[in-house]
Amino acid sequence: MPGPPSHLVRRFFSFLGARGLDAVEQRWVSDLLSDAEARLFWSQPVADQRHGHDCGRWVADRSPDRVDLVRAATLHDIGKRHARLGAIGRAVATVFAALGIPGPAAFQQYTRHGSVGAAELAAAGAESLVVAFTESHHHDRPDSFSESDWELLKTADHLT
């Protein structure tokens, strides 16, 4: 499950009201990512770009010396774009997943976004921490993560 109901409701409405990144925000993302990672990032819907940017900035404000954590926060949801679901489709896919109902292919694609995005990031040459967080951000903390790094990333995902 991707988070408590309050998080899901907040994400639903933030998806609906998402605004595109302004020029300063776009530059920040472009300076942070490799060319291959940037292609993945910019291929996302605007709402996912906004969420990735905001997660990354939140982590950067708290841990500016940990670029690996900032990059993990920024890129963790890139696999969602393959499902091509809007806000309602994403909400229904999440409910289906919570109930153990597979649903249509797009719903299954959406609920597998972590592993899909992790494979893409690995192919793009992203560092192992970025790939590992993308793969596991809806699951338990992998042994490869310190508790403090994991909590920072999970908090960014849930607050932004």
Side-chain angles (χ1 to χ4, degrees), residues 1-12 94 138 154 157-159:
M1 185 76 164
S6 61
H7 165 74
L8 298 174
V9 170
R10 186 171 52 252
R11 288 296 308 276
F12 177 82
T94 301
H138 289 301
K154 292 290 284 186
D157 189 21
H158 288 289
L159 290 181

PDB file of all heavy atoms in Angstrom, residues 1-12 94 138 154 157-159:
ATOM      1  N   MET A   1       0.851  -1.189   0.000  1.00  0.00           N
ATOM      2  CA  MET A   1       0.000   0.000   0.000  1.00  0.00           C
ATOM      3  C   MET A   1       0.891   1.244   0.000  1.00  0.00           C
ATOM      4  O   MET A   1       1.837   1.322   0.757  1.00  0.00           O
ATOM      5  CB  MET A   1      -0.908  -0.053   1.234  1.00  0.00           C
ATOM      6  CG  MET A   1      -1.919   1.027   1.304  1.00  0.00           C
ATOM      7  SD  MET A   1      -3.261   0.715   0.168  1.00  0.00           S
ATOM      8  CE  MET A   1      -4.467   1.814   0.795  1.00  0.00           C
ATOM      9  N   PRO A   2       0.592   2.224  -0.818  1.00  0.00           N
ATOM     10  CA  PRO A   2       1.453   3.388  -0.965  1.00  0.00           C
ATOM     11  C   PRO A   2       1.407   4.394   0.165  1.00  0.00           C
ATOM     12  O   PRO A   2       2.143   5.351   0.147  1.00  0.00           O
ATOM     13  CB  PRO A   2       0.967   4.021  -2.265  1.00  0.00           C
ATOM     14  CG  PRO A   2      -0.399   3.535  -2.453  1.00  0.00           C
ATOM     15  CD  PRO A   2      -0.493   2.200  -1.773  1.00  0.00           C
ATOM     16  N   GLY A   3       0.578   4.229   1.135  1.00  0.00           N
ATOM     17  CA  GLY A   3       0.571   5.156   2.245  1.00  0.00           C
ATOM     18  C   GLY A   3      -0.792   5.214   2.901  1.00  0.00           C
ATOM     19  O   GLY A   3      -1.744   4.579   2.449  1.00  0.00           O
ATOM     20  N   PRO A   4      -0.894   5.997   3.969  1.00  0.00           N
ATOM     21  CA  PRO A   4      -2.169   6.118   4.664  1.00  0.00           C
ATOM     22  C   PRO A   4      -3.193   6.839   3.790  1.00  0.00           C
ATOM     23  O   PRO A   4      -2.829   7.561   2.858  1.00  0.00           O
ATOM     24  CB  PRO A   4      -1.812   6.929   5.906  1.00  0.00           C
ATOM     25  CG  PRO A   4      -0.567   7.652   5.559  1.00  0.00           C
ATOM     26  CD  PRO A   4       0.167   6.789   4.565  1.00  0.00           C
ATOM     27  N   PRO A   5      -4.481   6.672   4.098  1.00  0.00           N
ATOM     28  CA  PRO A   5      -5.514   7.323   3.287  1.00  0.00           C
ATOM     29  C   PRO A   5      -5.323   8.833   3.152  1.00  0.00           C
ATOM     30  O   PRO A   5      -5.565   9.388   2.080  1.00  0.00           O
ATOM     31  CB  PRO A   5      -6.810   6.983   4.038  1.00  0.00           C
ATOM     32  CG  PRO A   5      -6.504   5.701   4.726  1.00  0.00           C
ATOM     33  CD  PRO A   5      -5.038   5.789   5.116  1.00  0.00           C
ATOM     34  N   SER A   6      -4.871   9.495   4.209  1.00  0.00           N
ATOM     35  CA  SER A   6      -4.678  10.951   4.118  1.00  0.00           C
ATOM     36  C   SER A   6      -3.639  11.311   3.057  1.00  0.00           C
ATOM     37  O   SER A   6      -3.792  12.291   2.332  1.00  0.00           O
ATOM     38  CB  SER A   6      -4.271  11.519   5.476  1.00  0.00           C
ATOM     39  OG  SER A   6      -3.043  10.949   5.905  1.00  0.00           O
ATOM     40  N   HIS A   7      -2.595  10.492   2.956  1.00  0.00           N
ATOM     41  CA  HIS A   7      -1.574  10.708   1.928  1.00  0.00           C
ATOM     42  C   HIS A   7      -2.187  10.527   0.544  1.00  0.00           C
ATOM     43  O   HIS A   7      -1.931  11.311  -0.375  1.00  0.00           O
ATOM     44  CB  HIS A   7      -0.406   9.736   2.133  1.00  0.00           C
ATOM     45  CG  HIS A   7       0.515   9.634   0.962  1.00  0.00           C
ATOM     46  ND1 HIS A   7       1.410  10.624   0.636  1.00  0.00           N
ATOM     47  CD2 HIS A   7       0.682   8.661   0.036  1.00  0.00           C
ATOM     48  CE1 HIS A   7       2.083  10.260  -0.442  1.00  0.00           C
ATOM     49  NE2 HIS A   7       1.657   9.077  -0.829  1.00  0.00           N
ATOM     50  N   LEU A   8      -3.001   9.500   0.384  1.00  0.00           N
ATOM     51  CA  LEU A   8      -3.601   9.223  -0.922  1.00  0.00           C
ATOM     52  C   LEU A   8      -4.563  10.324  -1.344  1.00  0.00           C
ATOM     53  O   LEU A   8      -4.587  10.715  -2.513  1.00  0.00           O
ATOM     54  CB  LEU A   8      -4.307   7.859  -0.885  1.00  0.00           C
ATOM     55  CG  LEU A   8      -3.392   6.669  -0.598  1.00  0.00           C
ATOM     56  CD1 LEU A   8      -4.210   5.396  -0.450  1.00  0.00           C
ATOM     57  CD2 LEU A   8      -2.348   6.519  -1.686  1.00  0.00           C
ATOM     58  N   VAL A   9      -5.334  10.829  -0.405  1.00  0.00           N
ATOM     59  CA  VAL A   9      -6.255  11.929  -0.715  1.00  0.00           C
ATOM     60  C   VAL A   9      -5.470  13.180  -1.115  1.00  0.00           C
ATOM     61  O   VAL A   9      -5.782  13.851  -2.108  1.00  0.00           O
ATOM     62  CB  VAL A   9      -7.197  12.207   0.481  1.00  0.00           C
ATOM     63  CG1 VAL A   9      -7.981  13.501   0.269  1.00  0.00           C
ATOM     64  CG2 VAL A   9      -8.140  11.029   0.695  1.00  0.00           C
ATOM     65  N   ARG A  10      -4.429  13.484  -0.356  1.00  0.00           N
ATOM     66  CA  ARG A  10      -3.594  14.649  -0.660  1.00  0.00           C
ATOM     67  C   ARG A  10      -2.970  14.513  -2.045  1.00  0.00           C
ATOM     68  O   ARG A  10      -2.966  15.448  -2.834  1.00  0.00           O
ATOM     69  CB  ARG A  10      -2.526  14.820   0.418  1.00  0.00           C
ATOM     70  CG  ARG A  10      -1.696  16.075   0.268  1.00  0.00           C
ATOM     71  CD  ARG A  10      -0.768  16.351   1.460  1.00  0.00           C
ATOM     72  NE  ARG A  10       0.068  15.224   1.830  1.00  0.00           N
ATOM     73  CZ  ARG A  10      -0.100  14.487   2.929  1.00  0.00           C
ATOM     74  NH1 ARG A  10      -1.086  14.737   3.762  1.00  0.00           N
ATOM     75  NH2 ARG A  10       0.715  13.482   3.198  1.00  0.00           N
ATOM     76  N   ARG A  11      -2.444  13.318  -2.367  1.00  0.00           N
ATOM     77  CA  ARG A  11      -1.831  13.090  -3.680  1.00  0.00           C
ATOM     78  C   ARG A  11      -2.859  13.207  -4.807  1.00  0.00           C
ATOM     79  O   ARG A  11      -2.562  13.714  -5.876  1.00  0.00           O
ATOM     80  CB  ARG A  11      -1.144  11.728  -3.735  1.00  0.00           C
ATOM     81  CG  ARG A  11       0.134  11.614  -2.943  1.00  0.00           C
ATOM     82  CD  ARG A  11       1.268  12.519  -3.427  1.00  0.00           C
ATOM     83  NE  ARG A  11       1.570  12.408  -4.830  1.00  0.00           N
ATOM     84  CZ  ARG A  11       2.364  11.498  -5.389  1.00  0.00           C
ATOM     85  NH1 ARG A  11       2.966  10.611  -4.633  1.00  0.00           N
ATOM     86  NH2 ARG A  11       2.566  11.475  -6.675  1.00  0.00           N
ATOM     87  N   PHE A  12      -4.079  12.734  -4.576  1.00  0.00           N
ATOM     88  CA  PHE A  12      -5.137  12.823  -5.577  1.00  0.00           C
ATOM     89  C   PHE A  12      -5.371  14.286  -5.949  1.00  0.00           C
ATOM     90  O   PHE A  12      -5.367  14.651  -7.127  1.00  0.00           O
ATOM     91  CB  PHE A  12      -6.426  12.176  -5.048  1.00  0.00           C
ATOM     92  CG  PHE A  12      -7.596  12.298  -5.992  1.00  0.00           C
ATOM     93  CD1 PHE A  12      -7.743  11.416  -7.044  1.00  0.00           C
ATOM     94  CD2 PHE A  12      -8.549  13.280  -5.813  1.00  0.00           C
ATOM     95  CE1 PHE A  12      -8.828  11.519  -7.914  1.00  0.00           C
ATOM     96  CE2 PHE A  12      -9.628  13.403  -6.676  1.00  0.00           C
ATOM     97  CZ  PHE A  12      -9.773  12.510  -7.727  1.00  0.00           C
ATOM     98  N   THR A  94      -5.155   1.948  -7.063  1.00  0.00           N
ATOM     99  CA  THR A  94      -4.664   1.818  -5.690  1.00  0.00           C
ATOM    100  C   THR A  94      -5.655   1.044  -4.828  1.00  0.00           C
ATOM    101  O   THR A  94      -5.261   0.169  -4.050  1.00  0.00           O
ATOM    102  CB  THR A  94      -4.382   3.215  -5.097  1.00  0.00           C
ATOM    103  OG1 THR A  94      -3.403   3.871  -5.907  1.00  0.00           O
ATOM    104  CG2 THR A  94      -3.877   3.121  -3.675  1.00  0.00           C
ATOM    105  N   HIS A 138       7.568   1.566  -1.885  1.00  0.00           N
ATOM    106  CA  HIS A 138       6.264   1.178  -1.323  1.00  0.00           C
ATOM    107  C   HIS A 138       6.362  -0.108  -0.501  1.00  0.00           C
ATOM    108  O   HIS A 138       5.351  -0.740  -0.211  1.00  0.00           O
ATOM    109  CB  HIS A 138       5.225   1.008  -2.433  1.00  0.00           C
ATOM    110  CG  HIS A 138       4.809   2.294  -3.043  1.00  0.00           C
ATOM    111  ND1 HIS A 138       4.229   3.323  -2.327  1.00  0.00           N
ATOM    112  CD2 HIS A 138       4.917   2.752  -4.315  1.00  0.00           C
ATOM    113  CE1 HIS A 138       3.986   4.336  -3.122  1.00  0.00           C
ATOM    114  NE2 HIS A 138       4.389   4.025  -4.334  1.00  0.00           N
ATOM    115  N   LYS A 154      11.261   8.506   2.576  1.00  0.00           N
ATOM    116  CA  LYS A 154       9.844   8.172   2.746  1.00  0.00           C
ATOM    117  C   LYS A 154       9.044   9.392   3.200  1.00  0.00           C
ATOM    118  O   LYS A 154       7.919   9.609   2.735  1.00  0.00           O
ATOM    119  CB  LYS A 154       9.685   7.032   3.765  1.00  0.00           C
ATOM    120  CG  LYS A 154      10.214   5.698   3.299  1.00  0.00           C
ATOM    121  CD  LYS A 154       9.381   5.093   2.211  1.00  0.00           C
ATOM    122  CE  LYS A 154       8.113   4.527   2.787  1.00  0.00           C
ATOM    123  NZ  LYS A 154       7.306   3.790   1.814  1.00  0.00           N
ATOM    124  N   ASP A 157       8.425  11.661   0.266  1.00  0.00           N
ATOM    125  CA  ASP A 157       7.384  11.131  -0.611  1.00  0.00           C
ATOM    126  C   ASP A 157       5.999  11.359  -0.031  1.00  0.00           C
ATOM    127  O   ASP A 157       5.061  11.695  -0.754  1.00  0.00           O
ATOM    128  CB  ASP A 157       7.628   9.628  -0.839  1.00  0.00           C
ATOM    129  CG  ASP A 157       6.721   9.033  -1.902  1.00  0.00           C
ATOM    130  OD1 ASP A 157       6.183   9.782  -2.755  1.00  0.00           O
ATOM    131  OD2 ASP A 157       6.543   7.804  -1.892  1.00  0.00           O
ATOM    132  N   HIS A 158       5.857  11.234   1.266  1.00  0.00           N
ATOM    133  CA  HIS A 158       4.539  11.368   1.878  1.00  0.00           C
ATOM    134  C   HIS A 158       4.119  12.811   2.140  1.00  0.00           C
ATOM    135  O   HIS A 158       2.930  13.094   2.201  1.00  0.00           O
ATOM    136  CB  HIS A 158       4.459  10.555   3.173  1.00  0.00           C
ATOM    137  CG  HIS A 158       4.416   9.089   2.910  1.00  0.00           C
ATOM    138  ND1 HIS A 158       3.331   8.452   2.374  1.00  0.00           N
ATOM    139  CD2 HIS A 158       5.350   8.134   3.065  1.00  0.00           C
ATOM    140  CE1 HIS A 158       3.595   7.166   2.217  1.00  0.00           C
ATOM    141  NE2 HIS A 158       4.815   6.945   2.629  1.00  0.00           N
ATOM    142  N   LEU A 159       5.077  13.712   2.267  1.00  0.00           N
ATOM    143  CA  LEU A 159       4.736  15.112   2.579  1.00  0.00           C
ATOM    144  C   LEU A 159       4.579  15.985   1.352  1.00  0.00           C
ATOM    145  O   LEU A 159       4.008  17.063   1.453  1.00  0.00           O
ATOM    146  CB  LEU A 159       5.797  15.726   3.500  1.00  0.00           C
ATOM    147  CG  LEU A 159       5.829  15.200   4.925  1.00  0.00           C
ATOM    148  CD1 LEU A 159       6.920  15.913   5.729  1.00  0.00           C
ATOM    149  CD2 LEU A 159       4.464  15.352   5.605  1.00  0.00           C
TER     150      LEU A 159
END
